[in-house]
């Protein structure tokens, strides 16, 4: 084969390599950084047409920053805590409380999604503390680490309730990413709540990312690994060690 042909092939391969890395870098950023709340969220992969899937593959998902669209129907206090960002919580106190349930939402959601749970706990005699993770609702920032750094948000909320309610039974409730953040917080900070309610935590960040690629009918290897690498670089954590199942 002539040297010219080899150079052309090498040039094409280099362009494809750079383009592929740019696309995956963009995917990683959009997955870990929320956009303006006004944009429309990308539908689930199974709900997309072929053209929409192709558009999403090249330009990434659209994940708007979650806002609180509803508010407690009971009296509540707005509490701000210092974590990696300033996180906002709603504290709902009931008379003669049996304990306090701290509630944490899932990915691309906010604490207003937890209001039905909060009301049920209140009806059963438990005070509640609903938390917006960093980048969501009333908290500052626009980034997420899918439960890794959010574990500090869990710790700060737990420490606040422990300090203000020293004799209270504390229960941690988490949905999806919220459940993962609770598990990570217990591992890192050795929290000792009276009880846990964990709803739909994922097993590992890598396995979850691979499933997203498969749902798009796109090969997961090595793209899932590259996406996690870039996501970790952009947000400052190691997603390959983000394994709640352990």
């Amino acid at each position: 084969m002539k040297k010219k042909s080899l150079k052309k092939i090498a040039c094409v391969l280099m362009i494809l390599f750079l383009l592929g890395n740019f696309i995956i870098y963009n995917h990683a950023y959009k997955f870990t950084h929320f956009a303006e709340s006004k944009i429309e969220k990308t539908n689930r992969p199974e709900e997309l047409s072929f053209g929409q899937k192709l558009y999403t593959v090249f330009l990434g998902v659209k994940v708007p920053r979650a806002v609180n669209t509803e508010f407690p129907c009971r009296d509540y206090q707005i509490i701000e805590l210092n974590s990696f960002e300033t996180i906002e919580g709603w504290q709902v106190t009931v008379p003669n409380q049996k304990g306090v349930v701290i509630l944490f939402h899932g990915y691309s959601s906010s604490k207003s999604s937890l209001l039905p749970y909060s009301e049920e706990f209140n009806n059963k005699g438990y005070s509640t503390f609903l938390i917006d993770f960093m980048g969501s609702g009333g908290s500052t920032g626009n980034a997420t680490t899918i439960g890794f750094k959010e574990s500090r948000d869990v710790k700060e909320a737990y420490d606040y309730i422990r300090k203000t309610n020293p004799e209270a039974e504390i229960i941690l409730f988490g949905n999806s990413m919220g459940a993962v953040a609770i598990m990570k917080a217990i591992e890192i900070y050795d929290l000792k709540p009276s009880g846990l309610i964990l709803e739909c935590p994922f097993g590992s960040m890598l396995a979850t990312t691979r499933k997203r690629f498969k749902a798009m009918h796109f090969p997961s290897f090595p793209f899932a690994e590259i996406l996690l690498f870039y996501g970790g670089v952009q947000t400052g954590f190691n997603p390959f060690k983000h394994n709640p199942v352990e």
Side-chain angles (χ1 to χ4, degrees):
M1 192 178 287
K2 294 181 179 179
K3 286 185 178 180
K4 270 191 175 181
S5 297
L6 287 173
K7 283 184 178 179
K8 284 181 180 179
I9 292 171
C11 185
V12 169
L13 290 175
M14 178 59 70
I15 291 171
L16 290 174
F17 174 79
L18 293 174
L19 178 63
N21 274 268
F22 172 79
I23 290 171
I24 297 173
Y25 185 92
N26 187 46
H27 266 274
Y29 186 86
K30 288 192 174 182
F31 187 60
T32 57
H33 292 77
F34 300 120
E36 291 183 16
S37 301
K38 295 178 182 178
I39 71 166
E40 188 175 341
K41 184 177 181 180
T42 301
N43 290 334
R44 294 166 61 86
E46 55 269 25
E47 298 171 345
L48 299 176
S49 67
F50 175 77
Q52 289 172 326
K53 285 181 180 179
L54 199 61
Y55 177 91
T56 303
V57 163
F58 280 96
L59 297 180
V61 295
K62 298 176 182 177
V63 186
R65 193 184 195 282
V67 296
N68 292 307
T69 55
E70 298 180 60
F71 300 87
C73 58
R74 300 170 183 258
D75 290 338
Y76 68 99
Q77 287 181 286
I78 297 176
I79 306 296
E80 290 188 344
L81 303 172
N82 292 318
S83 184
F84 288 107
E85 296 283 350
T86 300
I87 58 172
E88 182 184 89
W90 291 335
Q91 187 171 13
V92 182
T93 303
V94 299
N96 304 313
Q97 66 181 24
K98 296 178 181 177
V100 182
V101 182
I102 311 176
L103 299 95
F104 303 93
H105 61 79
Y107 174 74
S108 75
S109 188
S110 68
K111 61 180 179 290
S112 65
S113 67
L114 301 167
L115 286 171
Y117 298 97
S118 175
E119 183 64 19
E120 287 299 320
F121 287 122
N122 294 155
N123 289 338
K124 289 175 170 57
Y126 287 86
S127 296
T128 50
F129 191 33
L130 297 76
I131 296 295
D132 273 326
F133 282 127
M134 62 180 191
S136 298
S139 297
T140 60
N142 73 327
T144 177
T145 59
I146 328 295
F148 196 96
K149 287 186 175 181
E150 285 80 359
S151 60
R152 182 174 166 187
D153 298 350
V154 174
K155 175 189 181 298
E156 296 300 335
Y158 177 88
D159 287 348
Y160 169 79
I161 293 299
R162 175 57 69 211
K163 183 179 179 180
T164 56
N165 295 262
E167 304 301 321
E169 177 185 77
I170 299 177
I171 297 171
L172 303 181
F173 172 94
N175 171 272
S176 187
M177 186 182 83
V180 167
I182 290 170
M183 296 160 77
K184 194 68 182 174
I186 289 174
E187 177 200 8
I188 296 176
Y189 302 110
D190 195 31
L191 306 186
K192 302 205 181 291
S194 301
L196 300 174
I197 303 174
L198 306 175
E199 186 177 74
C200 303
F202 58 81
S204 79
M205 193 71 244
L206 179 57
T208 299
T209 305
R210 283 175 175 165
K211 285 180 181 178
R212 288 181 66 88
F213 275 93
K214 289 176 182 176
M216 296 288 289
H217 301 290
F218 201 75
S220 64
F221 180 83
F223 302 108
E225 284 78 2
I226 298 171
L227 186 143
L228 287 189
F229 169 76
Y230 282 136
V233 169
Q234 291 165 2
T235 53
F237 82 108
N238 186 349
F240 296 101
K241 291 187 176 180
H242 194 16
N243 302 310
V245 71
E246 295 178 3

